[in-house]
Structures are given as structure tokens and as C-alpha cells.
Amino acid sequence: MNLPNKITLTRILLIPFVIFIYVASFIPYGRFVSSGLFMIACYTDFLDGHIARKRGLVTDLGKFFDSIADKVLIMTGMVLIISVPLRGAVAAAQPIILTSICMIIMLAREFIISALRQIAAAKGKVLAAEKSGKIKAAVQDVTISLYMLYAAFVADTELLIGASNTANAVINIILLVLLVTSTLLTITSGIGYLVRNKGVFVEKKKYDNVEDL
């Protein structure tokens, strides 16, 4: 296993710690720590790809491994911001219904793309992530990181509970815009990926005998 793949593995290994520390209310400033670990895991997504391209270490295993790690990390973040409610005056800052819809869309997109890659793999092809997908992932990383940090400020410092309604409203609008933007990028990048790789779904005709040629 080369260095980029080891970094990708590190991203996967960080996920259980992100989950446990985020939900463990008995850990002082746990959500800040969890948010930090999540952002480190997000950074490794850039780091492993950068090293792989710069050093010529791009492998089929790395392409597959990186894609799986990205999906698990994003879905982990989405589930956390949905399942662990914010308390106090800013509870409305957690848009459960909207976030749930966005997560369903993101999950559907990832399942569809995963199915496409499995079909391609069966035909001896490996479909790597595209630039649009990387941009989508970056926006998702930023969005989830900010949601987690917002929850950390509320739960661990309570600073925002005493803040003005205007301040909280502005923060909520920014977070919602980022959430909707990341969802739209998820849809557009997914459609683009399917269109550009539609040839994977084309079945080659098999001829039973020479006369059919």
C-alpha cells in the first residue's frame, strides 16, 4: 500500500473517532474536537490525491479506496448534524427536513455512481472521480464542517444562545445556502458523470455464429 492509500485509510480510521467524540456529551468541548478531526479527515482527501498525482502513485485501488472514503465521511457528517439536535434558542438552526432531503439526494447520487463504477469494473474499466465531483465534495466538506462548528459553539460554549436573533438568522441563512448549493452540485455533477460515461451501459452484441456478422 503506497503513501496516498495509507492517507486514505487514515481518513476512514478517523471516522469512528469523529462519531464517538461528537455524540459523547461527557467529553469537554467534544464537538470542537470532533469538528477538528472531521476537518482533518476532509483535508486528507486533498492530500492523498495531490501526493498521488505529483509522485505518479495513482492506482486503481487508490481510485476506488478514495471514492469509498469520501462517501463514508460525507454521510457520517450528514447523519451527525441530523441525529444530534441543537439545544437552546437556536434549535431551529438545524433544518431536519431540509437536511434529510439533501442527505437522501446525496445518498441516491452516490449509490447510482457506485453502481456505474461496478458495471465499469465488470468490463475492466476503472472510473476515477472527476473535477466536478471534487468540487462537490469540497463544498460538502465545508458545509458540514461549519454545521458541526456551529453546533460546537452552541453546545460547548453557549455563546450563540445569548446572541441576537439577527446574528443567528444570518448564520442560519449562510448554512442553508451552503447546504442547498452542495445539494445542487451533487445533482449536477452526478448527471454530468452519468452522461459522460453513458457508454458503460452499452452492451456489446454477442454473435452466436459467423453468419450473424
Side-chain angles (χ1 to χ4, degrees):
M1 182 178 289
N2 60 28
L3 179 58
N5 291 344
K6 290 179 181 178
I7 295 175
T8 304
L9 178 60
T10 300
R11 179 156 75 255
I12 295 176
L13 294 177
L14 281 174
I15 292 174
F17 293 97
V18 171
I19 297 172
F20 176 75
I21 297 174
Y22 191 85
V23 301
S25 57
F26 57 86
I27 298 178
Y29 299 100
R31 291 190 183 181
F32 276 112
V33 175
S34 178
S35 300
L37 290 176
F38 182 85
M39 287 185 281
I40 291 173
C42 291
Y43 176 70
T44 63
D45 183 25
F46 162 79
L47 185 62
D48 59 8
H50 175 73
I51 293 176
R53 290 187 295 272
K54 186 175 181 180
R55 301 185 182 181
L57 298 175
V58 178
T59 63
D60 289 346
L61 173 62
K63 295 176 183 178
F64 175 78
F65 208 22
D66 182 68
S67 175
I68 294 299
D70 291 347
K71 291 179 176 61
V72 176
L73 181 63
I74 293 299
M75 291 305 110
T76 296
M78 292 294 292
V79 170
L80 286 178
I81 64 178
I82 291 175
S83 62
V84 183
L86 301 179
R87 59 189 177 85
V90 293
Q94 191 179 36
I96 302 296
I97 296 177
L98 177 60
T99 310
S100 299
I101 293 173
C102 291
M103 188 177 78
I104 291 170
I105 292 174
M106 292 178 188
L107 276 172
R109 187 263 192 197
E110 300 305 340
F111 282 133
I112 292 171
I113 298 303
S114 294
L116 176 65
R117 285 175 173 155
Q118 288 180 353
I119 295 173
K123 296 182 178 182
K125 301 178 181 179
V126 176
L127 303 181
E130 296 184 345
K131 185 177 181 179
S132 61
K134 287 296 183 181
I135 294 174
K136 175 266 303 178
V139 175
Q140 288 178 340
D141 291 343
V142 171
T143 301
I144 295 172
S145 296
L146 290 178
Y147 264 105
M148 293 176 69
L149 280 175
Y150 184 66
F153 272 105
V154 173
D156 293 347
T157 71
E158 301 188 358
L159 290 175
L160 292 176
I161 291 180
S164 66
N165 291 331
T166 301
N168 278 306
V170 171
I171 294 173
N172 296 342
I173 291 173
I174 293 173
L175 292 176
L176 288 174
V177 169
L178 284 171
L179 181 61
V180 172
T181 300
S182 64
T183 304
L184 291 176
L185 287 173
T186 296
I187 296 172
T188 55
S189 65
I191 292 175
Y193 198 82
L194 288 173
V195 171
R196 284 187 289 275
N197 295 285
K198 61 184 178 181
V200 173
F201 294 106
V202 177
E203 294 290 341
K204 293 183 179 179
K205 184 177 179 181
K206 295 181 179 180
Y207 299 97
D208 296 328
N209 51 64
V210 178
E211 295 179 355
D212 292 333
L213 296 175

